[in-house]
Amino acid sequence: MDRRKFFLLTYGCQMNKLDSELIASRMIQGGFEETDREEEARILLLNTCSIRESAEDRVWGRIGAMKARKMKDPGVVIGILGCMAQEHQQFLRAKMPHIDVVCGTREFGRIDELVKESMETRKGVVATGEGGNGDLVHREVGQRPMRAQAFVNIIRGCNMPCTYCIVPATRGPEVSRPVDAIREEVERLVADGVTEITLLGQTVNAYGHDLERGTDLALLLRELHQLPALRRISFVTSHPSFLTPRLMEAMAALPRVSRYFHLPAQSGSSKVLKAMKRGYTRERYLARIRDLKSLIPDMEFACDFIAGFPGETEEDHRQSLSLIEEVGFSQSFVFKYSPRKGTVSADFLTDDIPEDVKARRNQELLQVQEQVSLAKNKAQVGEVREILVEGPSKRRKDRYTGRTARNRLVHFANEDPSLVGRYVPVEIIEAQAHCLIGELREETRTLQAGEDEWLGMRNREGMGR
Ligand code: SF4
């Protein structure tokens, strides 16, 4: 069995998935070879997530299973990377001697060296400082899983004080990447066939505050928008406090910037938002939405909610429900509150909402969102939308899926794999709460880069600028 083959398993958010692409790049540059078959690898790497207890539980289970493999074959190298390595470094060192490499969130830019050191010394290696974050890795652009789409990190870490969140502790303070480095990476991705990019950061719209004066997300969007081959540009995750007039103006002026905007509120109650230390009230959140809608009337919004935060009353919960209806989110991601050790809310607030109440509120938020989503999706029936084809449907072999410029998932009958990565028109024939069903239509003309459903809608509705 080849000692240099590695198997990399990823848990958690999109940022972790992108980090795994960078980890794989670095390992390959260091002379290792990736395999997707765990049994043929001698190096097992887990890129982990701490955001919720359930995510951690799955990783602990997997670490246990890897121990059995190590006992049979002591030459196997096991590495734990990312948030859990950062958060539980003491425990991993003290209680889990079968782990060979503990690599924190700001060290995986040198993961190949850490693995080699462990192989050579046959000792455990722990790196949880700031020796090299992933942005130091020269990305192998061909490493990405989707041909036409790519994620690009622009800012790491978080400076915000949200009381429920472990991210500032695991990922450290915000560090923005220079504009030139981002543009260079995006140009290489575009040269390799990418037409849609998503810029990533925990507080993506705080980008640039630690760089040269005048550098911000608005400037970066204007810079990237100059690349004509890029047909769609989006960014996640935004914080309402950094939705500045300058950013809104840039979004309005740049037609290829996505008209789907994920702006997590977390709660519709100003009282709960204060306890969360989110830095805005319900009214200010709504004012931001109004401001952006006044510039881009057809902008679609998506949201995150936490159900059952400590102290949340039925009235607070009703305010979250009403926020969904008032804004008319096209999508909401809802999570039950779970205390994370090391956060302010876990250490200083009482987790006083019973589990069954959290579950009910969670369900009610989802139900209201489903009604709103369904009504919005029904309004799409009969329209022709341009979608970027992503691949075969997971559930039905005779269907493929794609997304509109507003991030709506569309399933359509197709058996032609050559459509993957292409932009094709589909007529929407049926609406469900979570997706649309469409039928392929003839391409009557070639859509130019930047011409998308949004422009089509503007033309139909006569919205000039
Ligand atoms: S903005 Fe708040 S919720 Fe988001 S990563 Fe930072 S601390 Fe966590």
PDB file of all heavy atoms in Angstrom, residues 158 160-162 164-165 167-168 202-203 239 266 278, ligand 1:
ATOM      1  N   CYS A 158     -13.227  36.136  12.256  1.00  0.00           N
ATOM      2  CA  CYS A 158     -14.359  37.006  12.568  1.00  0.00           C
ATOM      3  C   CYS A 158     -14.040  37.851  13.800  1.00  0.00           C
ATOM      4  O   CYS A 158     -13.518  37.339  14.782  1.00  0.00           O
ATOM      5  CB  CYS A 158     -15.606  36.163  12.827  1.00  0.00           C
ATOM      6  SG  CYS A 158     -17.024  37.199  13.208  1.00  0.00           S
ATOM      7  N   MET A 160     -16.529  39.708  15.242  1.00  0.00           N
ATOM      8  CA  MET A 160     -17.810  40.073  15.861  1.00  0.00           C
ATOM      9  C   MET A 160     -18.000  39.327  17.189  1.00  0.00           C
ATOM     10  O   MET A 160     -17.418  38.272  17.412  1.00  0.00           O
ATOM     11  CB  MET A 160     -18.967  39.743  14.904  1.00  0.00           C
ATOM     12  CG  MET A 160     -18.898  40.487  13.585  1.00  0.00           C
ATOM     13  SD  MET A 160     -18.754  42.271  13.801  1.00  0.00           S
ATOM     14  CE  MET A 160     -20.433  42.688  14.256  1.00  0.00           C
ATOM     15  N   PRO A 161     -18.853  39.907  18.061  1.00  0.00           N
ATOM     16  CA  PRO A 161     -18.985  39.332  19.404  1.00  0.00           C
ATOM     17  C   PRO A 161     -20.243  38.482  19.612  1.00  0.00           C
ATOM     18  O   PRO A 161     -20.677  38.333  20.754  1.00  0.00           O
ATOM     19  CB  PRO A 161     -19.078  40.605  20.258  1.00  0.00           C
ATOM     20  CG  PRO A 161     -19.828  41.567  19.379  1.00  0.00           C
ATOM     21  CD  PRO A 161     -19.514  41.222  17.959  1.00  0.00           C
ATOM     22  N   CYS A 162     -20.846  37.936  18.552  1.00  0.00           N
ATOM     23  CA  CYS A 162     -22.118  37.200  18.703  1.00  0.00           C
ATOM     24  C   CYS A 162     -21.965  36.175  19.834  1.00  0.00           C
ATOM     25  O   CYS A 162     -21.048  35.342  19.795  1.00  0.00           O
ATOM     26  CB  CYS A 162     -22.508  36.522  17.404  1.00  0.00           C
ATOM     27  SG  CYS A 162     -22.556  37.669  16.013  1.00  0.00           S
ATOM     28  N   TYR A 164     -23.409  33.524  20.833  1.00  0.00           N
ATOM     29  CA  TYR A 164     -23.642  32.083  20.695  1.00  0.00           C
ATOM     30  C   TYR A 164     -22.579  31.408  19.842  1.00  0.00           C
ATOM     31  O   TYR A 164     -22.631  30.190  19.641  1.00  0.00           O
ATOM     32  CB  TYR A 164     -25.018  31.847  20.029  1.00  0.00           C
ATOM     33  CG  TYR A 164     -25.156  32.612  18.734  1.00  0.00           C
ATOM     34  CD1 TYR A 164     -24.671  32.097  17.552  1.00  0.00           C
ATOM     35  CD2 TYR A 164     -25.721  33.885  18.709  1.00  0.00           C
ATOM     36  CE1 TYR A 164     -24.745  32.806  16.375  1.00  0.00           C
ATOM     37  CE2 TYR A 164     -25.810  34.615  17.543  1.00  0.00           C
ATOM     38  CZ  TYR A 164     -25.315  34.068  16.379  1.00  0.00           C
ATOM     39  OH  TYR A 164     -25.375  34.790  15.214  1.00  0.00           O
ATOM     40  N   CYS A 165     -21.636  32.167  19.302  1.00  0.00           N
ATOM     41  CA  CYS A 165     -20.833  31.642  18.192  1.00  0.00           C
ATOM     42  C   CYS A 165     -19.403  31.311  18.598  1.00  0.00           C
ATOM     43  O   CYS A 165     -18.728  32.102  19.252  1.00  0.00           O
ATOM     44  CB  CYS A 165     -20.834  32.653  17.057  1.00  0.00           C
ATOM     45  SG  CYS A 165     -19.992  32.026  15.590  1.00  0.00           S
ATOM     46  N   VAL A 167     -17.058  30.648  16.326  1.00  0.00           N
ATOM     47  CA  VAL A 167     -16.141  30.929  15.209  1.00  0.00           C
ATOM     48  C   VAL A 167     -14.983  31.868  15.581  1.00  0.00           C
ATOM     49  O   VAL A 167     -13.824  31.571  15.253  1.00  0.00           O
ATOM     50  CB  VAL A 167     -16.929  31.470  13.987  1.00  0.00           C
ATOM     51  CG1 VAL A 167     -15.993  32.061  12.940  1.00  0.00           C
ATOM     52  CG2 VAL A 167     -17.739  30.335  13.374  1.00  0.00           C
ATOM     53  N   PRO A 168     -15.227  32.987  16.277  1.00  0.00           N
ATOM     54  CA  PRO A 168     -14.076  33.851  16.585  1.00  0.00           C
ATOM     55  C   PRO A 168     -12.999  33.107  17.378  1.00  0.00           C
ATOM     56  O   PRO A 168     -11.801  33.368  17.202  1.00  0.00           O
ATOM     57  CB  PRO A 168     -14.706  34.986  17.405  1.00  0.00           C
ATOM     58  CG  PRO A 168     -16.120  35.025  16.941  1.00  0.00           C
ATOM     59  CD  PRO A 168     -16.495  33.584  16.710  1.00  0.00           C
ATOM     60  N   GLN A 202     -16.515  34.554   6.763  1.00  0.00           N
ATOM     61  CA  GLN A 202     -17.502  34.469   7.863  1.00  0.00           C
ATOM     62  C   GLN A 202     -18.272  35.779   7.953  1.00  0.00           C
ATOM     63  O   GLN A 202     -19.450  35.797   8.279  1.00  0.00           O
ATOM     64  CB  GLN A 202     -16.804  34.197   9.197  1.00  0.00           C
ATOM     65  CG  GLN A 202     -15.986  32.924   9.227  1.00  0.00           C
ATOM     66  CD  GLN A 202     -16.841  31.683   9.248  1.00  0.00           C
ATOM     67  OE1 GLN A 202     -18.053  31.759   9.369  1.00  0.00           O
ATOM     68  NE2 GLN A 202     -16.203  30.533   9.128  1.00  0.00           N
ATOM     69  N   THR A 203     -17.572  36.877   7.718  1.00  0.00           N
ATOM     70  CA  THR A 203     -18.214  38.197   7.614  1.00  0.00           C
ATOM     71  C   THR A 203     -17.700  38.784   6.309  1.00  0.00           C
ATOM     72  O   THR A 203     -16.876  39.684   6.300  1.00  0.00           O
ATOM     73  CB  THR A 203     -17.826  39.105   8.790  1.00  0.00           C
ATOM     74  OG1 THR A 203     -16.397  39.019   8.938  1.00  0.00           O
ATOM     75  CG2 THR A 203     -18.478  38.699  10.077  1.00  0.00           C
ATOM     76  N   HIS A 239     -22.916  40.200   7.040  1.00  0.00           N
ATOM     77  CA  HIS A 239     -23.450  40.663   8.315  1.00  0.00           C
ATOM     78  C   HIS A 239     -24.198  41.971   8.061  1.00  0.00           C
ATOM     79  O   HIS A 239     -23.658  42.859   7.377  1.00  0.00           O
ATOM     80  CB  HIS A 239     -22.302  40.888   9.307  1.00  0.00           C
ATOM     81  CG  HIS A 239     -22.764  41.110  10.707  1.00  0.00           C
ATOM     82  ND1 HIS A 239     -23.430  42.256  11.085  1.00  0.00           N
ATOM     83  CD2 HIS A 239     -22.695  40.332  11.815  1.00  0.00           C
ATOM     84  CE1 HIS A 239     -23.739  42.170  12.374  1.00  0.00           C
ATOM     85  NE2 HIS A 239     -23.305  41.010  12.838  1.00  0.00           N
ATOM     86  N   GLN A 266     -30.982  36.117  12.288  1.00  0.00           N
ATOM     87  CA  GLN A 266     -30.909  35.244  13.482  1.00  0.00           C
ATOM     88  C   GLN A 266     -32.142  35.340  14.370  1.00  0.00           C
ATOM     89  O   GLN A 266     -32.522  34.372  14.996  1.00  0.00           O
ATOM     90  CB  GLN A 266     -29.642  35.473  14.323  1.00  0.00           C
ATOM     91  CG  GLN A 266     -28.335  35.402  13.537  1.00  0.00           C
ATOM     92  CD  GLN A 266     -28.048  34.045  12.907  1.00  0.00           C
ATOM     93  OE1 GLN A 266     -28.841  33.118  13.016  1.00  0.00           O
ATOM     94  NE2 GLN A 266     -26.930  33.934  12.212  1.00  0.00           N
ATOM     95  N   ARG A 278     -25.817  41.075  18.311  1.00  0.00           N
ATOM     96  CA  ARG A 278     -25.691  41.109  16.856  1.00  0.00           C
ATOM     97  C   ARG A 278     -25.381  42.514  16.339  1.00  0.00           C
ATOM     98  O   ARG A 278     -24.984  42.701  15.186  1.00  0.00           O
ATOM     99  CB  ARG A 278     -26.979  40.591  16.209  1.00  0.00           C
ATOM    100  CG  ARG A 278     -27.139  39.090  16.324  1.00  0.00           C
ATOM    101  CD  ARG A 278     -26.171  38.336  15.438  1.00  0.00           C
ATOM    102  NE  ARG A 278     -26.486  38.472  14.024  1.00  0.00           N
ATOM    103  CZ  ARG A 278     -25.708  37.997  13.051  1.00  0.00           C
ATOM    104  NH1 ARG A 278     -24.576  37.386  13.340  1.00  0.00           N
ATOM    105  NH2 ARG A 278     -26.050  38.147  11.780  1.00  0.00           N
TER     106      ARG A 278
HETATM  107  S1  SF4 B   1     -20.662  37.311  12.653  1.00  0.00           S
HETATM  108 FE1  SF4 B   1     -21.320  36.363  14.584  1.00  0.00          FE
HETATM  109  S2  SF4 B   1     -22.307  34.446  13.899  1.00  0.00           S
HETATM  110 FE2  SF4 B   1     -21.064  35.138  12.192  1.00  0.00          FE
HETATM  111  S3  SF4 B   1     -19.094  34.085  12.429  1.00  0.00           S
HETATM  112 FE3  SF4 B   1     -18.897  36.083  13.436  1.00  0.00          FE
HETATM  113  S4  SF4 B   1     -19.410  35.733  15.592  1.00  0.00           S
HETATM  114 FE4  SF4 B   1     -20.154  33.943  14.404  1.00  0.00          FE
END
